[in-house]
Amino acid sequence: MTDHQTTARRFSTGRWRRLRSLRVRLIAVFAAVALLAAVSASGIAYWLNRDAVLKRAQDTALNDFRVSLTRNVSELPLNASCPELASLASSVASSGLTYDVVVVDPAHPECAASSDPAHFTLADVPTALQSTVAKPREVSESNPYPYHLYWQRQNLEGRPFVIGGTKVVPNGPTAYMFKSLENERADLNTLGWSLAIATLLALIGSALLAQAASATVLRPVKRLGDAARRLGEGHLDTRLEVEGSDELADLARTFNRAAESLHEQVEELSAREAQSRRFVADMSHELRTPLTAMTAVTDILEDEAESLDPMIEPAVRLVVSETRRLSDLVENLMEVTRFDAGTAKLVADEVDVADLIMSCIDGRAWYDAVEVDAPRGILAVVDPRRLDVVFANLIGNALKHGGSPVRVKVRQDGESVVVEVSDSGPGIPEDVLPHVFDRFYKADRGRARSEGSGLGLSIAMANAQIHGGTITAANGEVGAVFTLTLPLAPPPPPSAGEAEGGPVGDAEDKDAT
């Protein structure tokens, strides 16, 4: 993946996280609710006002048209001529309201008089309206007249009009009115823009209100998140200030109670752990003195084992073996307590890694069982004693459980040195791999009294980590492969607490010297 793609992905991820934040979602919900309410209210208001404005305009025009037509048609003679029809149209249209009139007489169907012949003729009247106006209705008590005034709204050349028509009874002409609704449309457009602006202002106001509400709600949530983060980092004395008696205050009280309970439990566990470490350290120290004497005696017994009674010799060799095993276990336990107490010290020096490996192999007489591929000249600042412990554990473990030949390969990888130790055995079972560095872990549970204590690999890992490195375990093509990775540069100096050490470390160091 290129740098551009990586940057784009990070930007997209960050933007997606911002969009998913509670503040953004709260503002979006407020805005959506406000927008829905404002649009609904504006739409209802617009349609109600539209119907009211149009109905008022058309009712006024139709009533005036009826009154003017009734007043002026009485002066029209029977079988009126075209000029007389035109005069009637002009008279009706001049009533005071601005509309135009078209008059048609059945006696002169070819003559359709108009108050504005250039713009309005009979052809502009909708066919449906003409047929409805000309069709008589049955006269009854509830309907004393056969003809009525009908109207229809129609767009003519893009302009809105209300067109009304009626027939003068019994044998009079038919008149049609054209009333423009341009003014009403302009008023409705102004109303629409006003409602749109009001909707926009409501949306902005809701966003500001949501921002204020989210700040009020999310500020305690942010403080809770910060407190939880500090608690997770180990600051067990973190507490929240409780304000009010709402749900957020209850949440803060619950957090404080949980933090207090956790603090007490951690202190109790820490005290028990410190007591356990102290017990192991004290026990190890107390065992070292008798073990020193026992080791001296067992060395003598081992030298004289061949001259002893054949019935006694196996018991003597068993005592010698178990005494040395107990001595190694005590030394390992003391080393573990140093790491647990944080008092393990690093005495670093610049050494050649190849020389250190060869010294480890020579000191344990592993010449014929180990194949070494270690170029000279790879210098690292390490603690030779601790690194010797690491190499001894890895190579010894490979010889014991994997079988020879064991191969040790050293290479430099940038600012690190990598040491691979592989064997020729069957490898490590997959269910065992995650636990090989656990203390007292043994792959074969049935071999509880095997020579190993189960501490070697865990001590090797601790020594690698104190150098700033690590050890990994895996299966290669043949056998198991342990890979040690260490930085070439010296690790950072220990903190003041580590340099001074605790009471356990002080007692161990004094006893060890």
Side-chain angles (χ1 to χ4, degrees), residues 215-414:
T216 303
V217 174
L218 296 182
R219 191 179 297 111
V221 176
K222 184 178 184 301
R223 287 201 297 264
L224 178 62
D226 294 339
R229 192 178 302 108
R230 286 180 54 81
L231 191 66
E233 292 172 354
H235 302 281
L236 300 181
D237 57 343
T238 302
R239 299 294 183 272
L240 287 174
E241 182 179 354
V242 181
E243 299 177 354
S245 58
D246 55 7
E247 290 80 0
L248 293 175
D250 292 340
L251 181 61
R253 294 188 187 94
T254 303
F255 175 86
N256 289 340
R257 287 195 294 268
E260 184 67 28
S261 176
L262 179 63
H263 193 186
E264 294 175 356
Q265 293 180 14
V266 169
E267 285 185 343
E268 181 180 357
L269 291 175
S270 298
R272 291 182 180 179
E273 184 180 3
Q275 184 178 6
S276 299
R277 288 200 303 265
R278 183 75 233 184
F279 172 77
V280 173
D282 292 343
M283 181 186 66
S284 301
H285 286 302
E286 293 299 327
L287 288 175
R288 291 189 70 180
T289 300
L291 276 176
T292 301
M294 291 173 62
T295 301
V297 173
T298 54
D299 289 341
I300 297 174
L301 289 176
E302 186 178 22
D303 294 338
E304 301 294 332
E306 294 182 357
S307 61
L308 295 176
D309 190 321
M311 298 293 294
I312 301 176
E313 181 183 358
V316 171
R317 294 192 180 278
L318 178 62
V319 169
V320 171
S321 174
E322 291 300 315
T323 301
R324 289 177 177 173
R325 181 172 178 269
L326 180 60
S327 178
D328 292 340
L329 177 60
V330 170
E331 292 296 331
N332 288 338
L333 287 174
M334 292 183 66
E335 187 71 10
V336 167
T337 56
R338 291 190 182 97
F339 285 116
D340 288 346
T343 57
K345 297 181 180 179
L346 193 66
V347 183
D349 191 12
E350 187 176 56
V351 297
D352 191 310
V353 177
D355 291 341
L356 197 58
I357 293 175
M358 294 306 300
S359 174
C360 174
I361 295 174
D362 292 343
R364 293 164 179 80
W366 289 338
Y367 313 102
D368 299 332
V370 181
E371 300 176 359
V372 181
D373 180 8
R376 296 185 180 277
I378 301 179
L379 302 178
V381 179
V382 296
D383 186 333
R385 182 187 69 84
R386 293 188 180 279
L387 205 56
D388 179 76
V389 172
V390 175
F391 292 148
N393 273 292
L394 295 181
I395 298 174
N397 187 73
L399 289 172
K400 183 184 300 182
H401 301 289
S404 60
V406 172
R407 291 168 292 277
V408 181
K409 183 178 180 181
V410 182
R411 58 184 172 85
Q412 183 174 346
D413 185 7

Side-chain angles (χ1 to χ4, degrees), residues 156-225:
L156 300 178
E157 299 180 356
R159 299 167 58 195
F161 284 87
V162 56
I163 305 174
T166 184
K167 182 177 178 60
V168 180
V169 294
N171 297 315
T174 301
Y176 297 97
M177 175 205 70
F178 293 83
K179 169 62 178 172
S180 175
L181 299 176
E182 278 290 326
N183 293 334
E184 286 73 16
R185 182 168 70 176
D187 293 340
L188 292 175
N189 288 339
T190 302
L191 175 63
W193 279 107
S194 300
L195 293 175
I197 294 173
T199 301
L200 180 61
L201 293 177
L203 183 60
I204 296 174
S206 67
L208 295 178
L209 180 62
Q211 176 71 16
S214 64
T216 303
V217 174
L218 296 182
R219 191 179 297 111
V221 176
K222 184 178 184 301
R223 287 201 297 264
L224 178 62

